[in-house]
Amino acid sequence: MKKHITEADLTQLVSVTNPQYSPDGKRLAYVQTEVNKELDAYDAQIMVYDFEKQKSVQWTFEKGRNQHPRWSPDGSNLVFTSNRDETEQVYLLNINGGEATKLTNIPHGVSQPIWSPDGTQLLCSVRLTKDESATDKQKQKLKDDQPVEIDTISYKVDGQGLKRGAYTQLVLINRETGEVRQLTNHERDHHSYTFSPCGKKIAFCANMMKLSGARVSDVYIMTLATGEIKRVTTQSGAFSSLSYSPDGQQLAFLGHQQEFKNATIQKAWLYNVNDNNLQCLTEMFDVHLSDVVISDSLIGGELPHPIWTKDSKGFYTVGTDNGSTGIYYISTEGLVYPIRIEKEHLNGFCLHPDETGFVAAIALPVWPSELYHISFDGIIKRLTNANQAFVEGHMISEPEEIQFETKDGLTIHGWLIKPTQYEKEKTYPLILQIHGGPHVMYGHTYFHEFQVLTAQGHAVIYVNPRGSHGYGQDFVNRVRGDYGGADYEDIMGAVNYVLQQYDFIDQSRIGVTGGSYGGFMTNWIVSHSNKFKAAVTQRSISNWISFYGVSDIGYFFTKWQVGADLFDDFEYLWDRSPLKYVDQVETPLLILHGERDDRCPIEQGEQLFTALKKRGKEVKLIRFPNASHNLSRNGHPKQRTKRLQYMTDWFKTYL
């Protein structure tokens, strides 16, 4: 008999991600991540699917995170990273078996190795301060009471904490000797790196602007023999995901020129190595080329760089559209067409070496992530069954798509999930879910939190209001400068639409919750409407004025998104702050906040709690020690479970 889904069931979910074909196409390496209940952590293991035997075999067994598998060019070895010895290091496995060999012993830890074309070297990244070197035998130890010197505006990152002057540098590791060669030493982060097919050059992304706080990411090419660096983009955009064509003549990457700041749709670009020509291939294509679907069932996903065809005439990449993610082909002449775009969350893929098909990691609304082989003639086969036991053992409610028109002519798209044991003639409470970002997207994917709520007898509605990705450039840009305006109307309009269309909803029992931007909107809603009988605000924003100086992104986000700088229009920021309107709040409010949230720092929740409590309002604050902004997605399993329990208990009490 199938069971109801509970908060604790999130520990049963398995993440299947990062598929990588072997060069001969006979094997497929991937990462399988599960909860380690004993350690209150996650174990990620390297799995290998054998196409001849049609089954998967586990290749790593050490506890911790074994991830980022990459086959050697000749297919004889597989490298991966592992934190089994405290710091993350590179390990090598021979396909004929045996124990993994530790290739690096860098005290700072090593990330994301990629092979040189000849298989003799590995290009990796290491976090170092200006006083450290990748060849150091010991890492500088910092005491908790040691002062931290700060001289840059970007001095902390959510989930990482204080940077302490450390930046991501690139290093080469000799496959045979383990010798380390540090390639970069600028006080800047270097990322999205790749080898040229000849192996004589690498390309990478970095922000080399001297202006403190400049938000750019340029593409650079380095000649390995001399260390000479050449910039190929314009110091005005944000680029990443680099990939050389097989003939070495072209470099493809994704990004934009920040025409709409961080609300700009990501496009495909092409740099011609020979004539030094840079062009945007998808200028007229109104689809965001990345995966921005928000979910709480995936751990450790990794988006592939553009994947070229052998003839160097085009490449494949992921795109986000209308609640779905899929694969698009883009030719070097700028022709774009979808290879696969279904009602699903395709969160990673790899192309078969003979280019007859691909393997994709796909999550469905009623089935968490698995690997699927999809041939170009349309035949699809599921390769893994990591979540089969969970799916077959639980009652999972299938979302129903909804859409309605706004007063100004936009179409708002979303979903309604009925209670798991829905019965006609009965009425049920409704819970509105609001996503963060705001430039992400709810989609056709499994969302555990929603299933927990429906299992407890609630209906759940979630929509993509203006500001969400997936519906074109104009749509995603419309929220900027109007937080709490038309976006508020979109969200409230969704609730009104559902109340009109579905008579099983008890209009006297409606709740609302959301995190980050969704937390801001939850705060805004309860301070501007008494429609809701219970609310849970998570990792929220209540005061744009203080947010400016305490968030890791506040110094630019406030201007780019809310539409005003602290010193240009103080009153406007205060007018858009929910804290200003606390006297109007009548809805019982639960505040959930991580104490190490550097994106929306906990002082945002504290201010709101204090103001409401002082006025005698019904409010409670729950603090999660050491939790960052991503608590609900990749925080400690026990805290994630407890967070869900606090939420469901609040709705049980007040709905």
Side-chain angles (χ1 to χ4, degrees), residues 19-71:
Q20 301 287 324
Y21 268 114
S22 61
D24 61 7
K26 295 181 179 180
R27 291 184 172 99
L28 183 84
Y30 61 96
V31 180
Q32 184 164 301
T33 305
E34 302 181 47
V35 170
N36 184 321
K37 294 181 182 179
E38 181 181 349
L39 298 178
D40 190 28
Y42 302 93
D43 287 338
Q45 303 296 351
I46 306 299
M47 309 288 290
V48 175
Y49 182 87
D50 188 307
F51 283 92
E52 183 178 334
K53 298 178 181 178
Q54 297 188 33
K55 69 175 184 178
S56 292
V57 176
Q58 187 172 332
W59 275 27
T60 62
F61 296 88
E62 296 283 345
K63 299 298 182 183
R65 303 293 287 269
N66 303 281
Q67 54 195 358
H68 198 79
R70 293 296 184 271
W71 297 96

Side-chain angles (χ1 to χ4, degrees), residues 579-591:
L579 193 65
K580 177 179 178 179
Y581 308 100
V582 289
D583 284 329
Q584 300 170 194
V585 176
E586 299 299 334
T587 306
L589 181 65
L590 177 65
I591 302 171

Side-chain angles (χ1 to χ4, degrees), residues 73-143:
D74 65 2
S76 63
N77 293 287
L78 184 75
V79 295
F80 62 95
T81 61
S82 176
N83 63 356
R84 61 186 66 178
D85 290 335
E86 295 187 6
T87 59
E88 191 172 19
Q89 301 294 333
V90 179
Y91 291 77
L92 182 140
L93 276 167
N94 189 286
I95 65 168
N96 296 319
E99 294 293 322
T101 302
K102 189 176 183 180
L103 291 185
T104 63
N105 193 26
I106 299 175
H108 311 277
V110 191
S111 300
Q112 298 183 312
I114 60 172
W115 289 92
S116 62
D118 63 4
T120 63
Q121 299 185 95
L122 291 161
L123 179 61
C124 314
S125 60
V126 182
R127 287 194 63 79
L128 302 168
T129 68
K130 63 182 179 181
D131 299 322
E132 294 174 325
S133 168
T135 58
D136 291 343
K137 294 185 178 180
Q138 285 189 330
K139 185 178 181 179
Q140 294 182 11
K141 294 183 178 181
L142 297 174
K143 296 181 179 180

Side-chain angles (χ1 to χ4, degrees), residues 148-221:
V148 179
E149 297 182 9
I150 295 170
D151 58 5
T152 177
I153 197 169
S154 178
Y155 63 88
K156 61 181 178 180
V157 178
D158 182 68
Q160 177 184 315
L162 296 175
K163 288 185 176 181
R164 296 179 180 269
Y167 294 93
T168 303
Q169 306 295 351
L170 303 183
V171 298
L172 277 179
I173 310 294
N174 186 288
R175 155 76 177 83
E176 294 296 332
T177 67
E179 180 184 353
V180 179
R181 175 188 169 191
Q182 186 171 330
L183 300 178
T184 62
N185 58 8
H186 315 96
E187 291 185 50
R188 294 289 188 271
D189 288 319
H190 305 74
H191 59 95
S192 296
Y193 42 88
T194 187
F195 273 102
S196 65
C198 66
K200 295 179 180 180
K201 296 183 179 183
I202 64 168
F204 61 90
C205 291
N207 173 11
M208 300 290 191
M209 297 281 285
K210 293 182 179 180
L211 179 64
S212 178
R215 304 292 299 182
V216 302
S217 177
D218 280 305
V219 177
Y220 292 86
I221 295 176

Side-chain angles (χ1 to χ4, degrees), residues 191-299:
H191 59 95
S192 296
Y193 42 88
T194 187
F195 273 102
S196 65
C198 66
K200 295 179 180 180
K201 296 183 179 183
I202 64 168
F204 61 90
C205 291
N207 173 11
M208 300 290 191
M209 297 281 285
K210 293 182 179 180
L211 179 64
S212 178
R215 304 292 299 182
V216 302
S217 177
D218 280 305
V219 177
Y220 292 86
I221 295 176
M222 173 187 285
T223 302
L224 292 176
T226 63
E228 178 187 359
I229 294 177
K230 176 183 178 181
R231 176 171 51 81
V232 303
T233 49
T234 59
Q235 292 191 305
S236 59
F239 302 99
S240 63
S241 301
L242 312 184
S243 182
Y244 269 100
S245 60
D247 63 11
Q249 303 304 302
Q250 300 160 106
L251 181 65
F253 46 92
L254 305 177
H256 54 74
Q257 292 283 21
Q258 302 191 105
E259 297 94 329
F260 304 94
K261 302 303 181 184
N262 58 335
T264 313
I265 280 181
Q266 190 155 265
K267 305 175 180 69
W269 295 74
L270 192 68
Y271 174 72
N272 189 296
V273 174
N274 292 326
D275 62 16
N276 197 31
N277 180 53
L278 175 66
Q279 63 174 317
C280 179
L281 295 176
T282 59
E283 188 65 46
M284 306 305 294
F285 186 53
D286 207 18
V287 169
H288 184 69
L289 297 179
S290 185
D291 168 20
V292 289
V293 170
I294 188 169
S295 168
D296 64 353
S297 64
L298 271 178
I299 300 289

